[in-house]
Amino acid sequence: MGLTFTEFFKMKKILYLLSSAAMFIACDSRTYEEISDNTPITATVKYNSDVKSIVDNNCIGCHAAGSFKPLTTYTDVKNNIDGILNRIQRPNGDPGKMPQGGSLSQTQINTFIKWKADGLAEN
């Protein structure tokens, strides 16, 4: 009633192949963008409730009032949205990428994109 040596060897080989296939499938390679929070933003994005805090925490250090390109008010940010989108979406290593020395999360970038698509509402 027991397994013969040949049957045992075949069974062991099948188990090895199945476990190898399972490990191969489990070890897929994904990029940072695929694993980062890239959930679509469905609510209407507004400057005061959604965009201002991103600007205050990431841009004001260099873009304060009196700087070359201030981004301290709704009007400043609204009037510079195309440049902002250009700079925050540049690849790492690009000397024009903003914020300098860092990067916004994909969710923060999506917030700017959605704000523009929603018509750049203030409140």
Side-chain angles (χ1 to χ4, degrees), residues 36-39 41 54 104-112:
S36 67
D37 182 17
N38 202 6
T39 306
I41 300 169
I54 299 170
L104 297 180
S105 70
Q106 190 59 51
T107 300
Q108 291 170 317
I109 293 170
N110 290 347
T111 300
F112 278 96

Side-chain angles (χ1 to χ4, degrees), residues 8-112:
F8 176 75
F9 183 72
K10 285 181 183 177
M11 194 174 197
K12 187 175 177 183
K13 189 175 179 181
I14 290 171
L15 287 173
Y16 175 75
L17 289 172
L18 288 174
S19 64
S20 295
M23 289 182 71
F24 179 73
I25 291 169
C27 296
D28 65 348
S29 177
R30 299 184 330 173
T31 63
Y32 172 77
E33 287 76 19
E34 291 171 330
I35 61 173
S36 67
D37 182 17
N38 202 6
T39 306
I41 300 169
T42 56
T44 301
V45 175
K46 298 178 181 170
Y47 177 77
N48 286 326
S49 59
D50 305 300
V51 176
K52 186 177 184 324
S53 63
I54 299 170
V55 173
D56 288 350
N57 291 325
N58 297 282
C59 310
I60 295 300
C62 297
H63 295 278
S67 68
F68 165 72
K69 180 85 63 177
L71 297 174
T72 56
T73 68
Y74 162 76
T75 303
D76 291 340
V77 178
K78 178 182 151 192
N79 290 343
N80 289 288
I81 189 62
D82 291 327
I84 292 168
L85 289 172
N86 173 294
R87 295 299 188 113
I88 64 176
Q89 295 183 86
R90 290 185 183 195
N92 289 333
D94 184 309
K97 180 171 180 65
M98 296 290 161
Q100 289 182 344
S103 185
L104 297 180
S105 70
Q106 190 59 51
T107 300
Q108 291 170 317
I109 293 170
N110 290 347
T111 300
F112 278 96

